[in-house]
Amino acid sequence: MPGNPKGDRRERELVNRLHDAGFAVMRAPASGSSTDRELPDVLAGDGRVFYAVEAKSSSGDPIYLRGEEVEALIYFSRNFGATPKIGVRFDREDWYFFHPGDLYVTDGGNYRVKKETAIEDGETIDDLLAASEDTESDRSVAEVLNAVEQGVLSAEEAEEML
């Protein structure tokens, strides 16, 4: 019996949207609770940029992510050589993406994305494509510096990336 039919449908939708945009993409079949390994929901790349995406959807309420799932996404992304992204979709809205370091952290160490924040500040699939075209963009530098500030990357790792 499927655990979350709507979530599965949204992940398949995201895979199709990224594919249509020109990314090689796959849905990680072992993501979620079917394995002990923490895997992202979606992997996408075009030979220049690679994304590991944790996908979440909501009917309109804020989306919450456990701190452990975000940490696992960052860990996997670092080892895989991908940029971690949180992909969120609210009903009747498009997909929006955030680097984990750009998300609001609750007092309990979890992460939250409000619908208004997603619409105003989130990256679109077109933005992900633009990053591919300009891999040395200021946004990428800002993400690396933000990751250092958050303690996700060491200064030495950031230096290698830049």
Side-chain angles (χ1 to χ4, degrees):
M1 176 180 281
N4 184 353
K6 183 178 180 180
D8 292 344
R9 187 174 64 247
R10 293 289 192 217
E11 286 178 18
R12 286 190 300 274
E13 171 192 302
L14 176 58
V15 165
N16 291 332
R17 292 284 313 280
L18 290 167
H19 177 267
D20 292 346
F23 288 101
V25 62
M26 68 172 278
R27 186 169 168 236
S31 65
S33 60
S34 63
T35 180
D36 291 337
R37 290 175 288 157
E38 294 288 339
L39 300 173
D41 295 318
V42 175
L43 293 172
D46 68 357
R48 291 177 294 226
V49 295
F50 302 94
Y51 297 108
V53 181
E54 185 66 29
K56 298 291 181 186
S57 63
S58 174
S59 62
D61 297 328
I63 292 174
Y64 288 91
L65 296 100
R66 292 184 340 273
E68 297 84 26
E69 55 184 335
V70 174
E71 290 170 15
L73 174 68
I74 292 166
Y75 177 80
F76 177 91
S77 298
R78 185 181 306 145
N79 288 336
F80 191 78
T83 299
K85 292 289 181 181
I86 304 298
V88 298
R89 185 181 182 297
F90 294 90
D91 285 359
R92 292 174 289 287
E93 297 295 339
D94 204 351
W95 282 95
Y96 295 98
F97 302 89
F98 293 88
H99 186 277
D102 294 335
L103 295 179
Y104 175 81
V105 181
T106 67
D107 291 340
N110 295 313
Y111 294 77
R112 181 185 73 205
V113 181
K114 291 183 178 179
K115 182 177 180 178
E116 304 79 38
T117 303
I119 294 168
E120 291 174 17
D121 300 330
E123 294 176 290
T124 64
I125 290 176
D126 288 341
D127 294 330
L128 299 181
L129 282 170
S132 174
E133 294 167 5
D134 182 18
T135 57
E136 300 298 322
S137 71
D138 290 341
R139 177 74 176 149
S140 296
V141 172
E143 286 180 357
V144 170
L145 293 175
N146 195 17
V148 171
E149 182 180 45
Q150 296 283 325
V152 174
L153 290 176
S154 70
E156 293 79 21
E157 291 170 322
E159 182 179 32
E160 286 179 30
M161 293 176 77
L162 298 174

